Amino acid sequence: MTAFLSSINYNAWIVPALLLLPAIGALGIGAHALLTAKDPAEKRWREVRILAFAFFMVEALLSLGLWWSIDPAASGWQALVDLPWIPQWGVRFTVGLDGIAMVLVLLTTLLMPLAVLGSWTSIRTKPHAYYANLLVLTVGMLGAFVSLDLVLFYVMWEIGLVPMYLIIGIWGGERRLYAAIKFFVYTMIGSLLMLVAILYLGSEASRVGGAPNFSYDFILNNVRLDPTTTLWLFGAFALAFAVKVPMFPFHTWLPDAHVEAPTAGSVILAAIMLKMGTFGFIRFALPLFPEAAMNPAVRTFVIVLAVVGIVYGALVAMVQPDFKKLVAYSSVSHLGFVMLGIFALTTESMQGALVVNVAHGISTGALFLLVGMIYERRHTRMIEDYGGIAKVVPIFATILTIVSLSSIGVPGTNGFIGEFLVLVGSFKTQPVAAVIAATAVIFAAAYLLWALQRIIYNSLSKPENEGIKDLNWREIGLLVPLVAAIIWIGVYPKPLLEKTEPAARRLVTYVEASVGKTPVTASNTAR
């Protein structure tokens, strides 16, 4: 496979192609809306969802080659493309991958067609606008993971904001406008502060190079700031990323957004968009400002917030009557593990954070899909409205049990691998935080197992549940890859660990060397 990909010069064109294809898809859907304006609504709806799914499938198939073409052990960026964009401002279209970005790109491209299938029958209002927004959103999410110019990163970061705002605000639930505006305000405030920090870094780069320069590598290796300025700039980046994660206490937009968003919106939020925040810490906040990030007071503050989020998210999830809101609060807890792993700063904890990112995307994405499927049948998310439905929907009950066990972190599932590495690695540098975080595993078992008992394993006491239909072939087909990934990563995590370990080790080495005032070159950065 590697030889074939090399023969077609795959790395030279794949990243721009992955960004261009969904943009073309959005334009194609717009053209379809105009050309079929006089056709029956049912016909247009059936055609546009097939068209969107086709674009996402092509995107997914094209991206699979990254698994073989990207060598995680190689230093420097791979699949690098560097073109002038706004030369008078020193802004370039620079994109590239390392092992960290590659895994998140694949997570995105492989989940998006499943998200489309998950909303196959539920989206009938303005379907062209809906699927076009999903495609534009994909451009922003992928662009954020591959950008190596700070202005380009900011543009991609913001491109992802508007489509999700529209998806929640137009196709969401009863309180969709409140949830959409809250989501937009929270993320926009943090983003604007990050923009100010980016412009400051560009101006400082111009002092060194004689011209504006927003290149990630140039700033990383040439811009040196005083400790106070570094602390302020780190704070601006960290706030934007903390809101997106979301870390406690910046998490309050998340439950509302998840509950009100349509199924695909919830899946994308949990599985991909939250990862933009943790990725931002890994790619930008730590390498660009290592002295500020590892300042004892800052580091302790972030770790305390991470641990509070882990425990708080689990405890609040335990008392939720709404199953979708329970899953939403579980994300606060899981992403706290990622932040603990990042700031514990050991190779094991950093690698664990990367694996939790992937595992959470798969498991929580599957949970939101399952919630959407049962909601389509009963039009309620209240846990008390169910009970004993395993008797009438055994396939649904089986898959929900497997996915819930993976979210808990049962050995043999994907959730165990990442959390175990985070706890083992964190115990080396932050033993108290690791011990407290480990208690949240018990809480996670409590809230999910209790929910399972009340939804599928009690007696079938409500007559309205007796006629619920089990999963159809489409729903089974979109869940099977997620269940397979859950088991594969849990039983044989070696391939994923091999893809993430070199980048995690280089990042930890770089930050430790920078804090220790050891000279560092570009080849030692987190690439």
Side-chain angles (χ1 to χ4, degrees), residues 277-441:
T278 56
F279 176 80
F281 278 104
I282 293 170
R283 174 68 78 236
F284 296 97
L286 262 69
L288 291 177
F289 316 106
E291 297 88 352
M294 291 297 107
N295 179 293
V298 172
R299 188 181 187 187
T300 300
F301 180 70
V302 173
I303 288 175
V304 167
L305 290 184
V307 172
V308 170
I310 291 170
V311 178
Y312 168 84
L315 291 175
V316 176
M318 196 181 301
V319 299
Q320 294 305 314
D322 184 322
F323 192 29
K324 196 174 187 183
K325 187 169 283 191
L326 181 152
V327 178
Y329 274 107
S330 75
S331 291
V332 177
S333 184
H334 286 300
L335 272 297
F337 274 100
V338 179
M339 294 305 301
L340 173 61
I342 292 172
F343 279 83
L345 201 72
T346 66
T347 300
E348 295 88 352
S349 71
M350 187 67 69
Q351 192 174 12
L354 298 174
V355 175
V356 172
N357 260 342
V358 176
H360 174 266
I362 295 169
S363 299
T364 306
L367 280 174
F368 278 119
L369 286 169
L370 287 161
V371 172
M373 291 170 188
I374 200 66
Y375 179 80
E376 281 192 49
R377 289 157 168 80
R378 281 282 282 110
H379 300 289
T380 177
R381 294 188 298 265
M382 295 296 109
I383 294 173
E384 65 179 13
D385 291 336
Y386 295 95
I389 63 172
K391 297 177 178 64
V392 293
V393 286
I395 299 175
F396 172 86
T398 300
I399 296 177
L400 179 61
T401 301
I402 294 171
V403 174
S404 297
L405 292 177
S406 74
S407 185
I408 292 169
V410 171
T413 66
N414 59 351
F416 174 77
I417 303 301
E419 290 184 4
F420 178 77
L421 284 172
V422 167
L423 293 174
V424 168
S426 299
F427 193 79
K428 294 181 179 180
T429 59
Q430 306 291 330
V432 175
V435 170
I436 297 173
T439 62
V441 176

Side-chain angles (χ1 to χ4, degrees), residues 152-221:
L152 177 63
F153 170 75
Y154 180 79
V155 170
M156 293 298 180
W157 181 274
E158 293 301 290
I159 285 176
L161 173 62
V162 177
M164 182 54 70
Y165 167 80
L166 294 174
I167 288 169
I168 298 171
I170 297 175
W171 295 276
E174 293 181 0
R175 300 174 70 245
R176 57 186 179 273
L177 290 179
Y178 168 79
I181 292 171
K182 192 173 183 180
F183 162 77
F184 189 87
V185 170
Y186 265 70
T187 51
M188 178 59 74
I189 291 174
S191 299
L192 288 176
L193 292 175
M194 181 173 66
L195 175 61
V196 173
I198 289 172
L199 294 176
Y200 185 90
L201 287 172
S203 67
E204 289 299 307
S206 68
R207 296 176 186 271
V208 178
N213 194 330
F214 293 94
S215 165
Y216 175 83
D217 283 340
F218 185 87
I219 292 172
L220 188 71
N221 294 304

Side-chain angles (χ1 to χ4, degrees), residues 69-88:
S69 72
I70 301 299
D71 179 8
S75 61
W77 304 109
Q78 299 175 67
L80 182 68
V81 174
D82 184 17
L83 301 170
W85 184 23
I86 313 176
Q88 60 269 33

Side-chain angles (χ1 to χ4, degrees), residues 449-469:
L449 292 179
W450 189 32
L452 281 179
Q453 177 190 351
R454 290 177 290 162
I455 293 172
I456 62 178
Y457 292 121
N458 282 340
S459 61
L460 188 62
S461 57
K462 295 179 174 61
E464 54 267 35
N465 291 326
E466 295 176 0
I468 299 177
K469 294 182 179 179

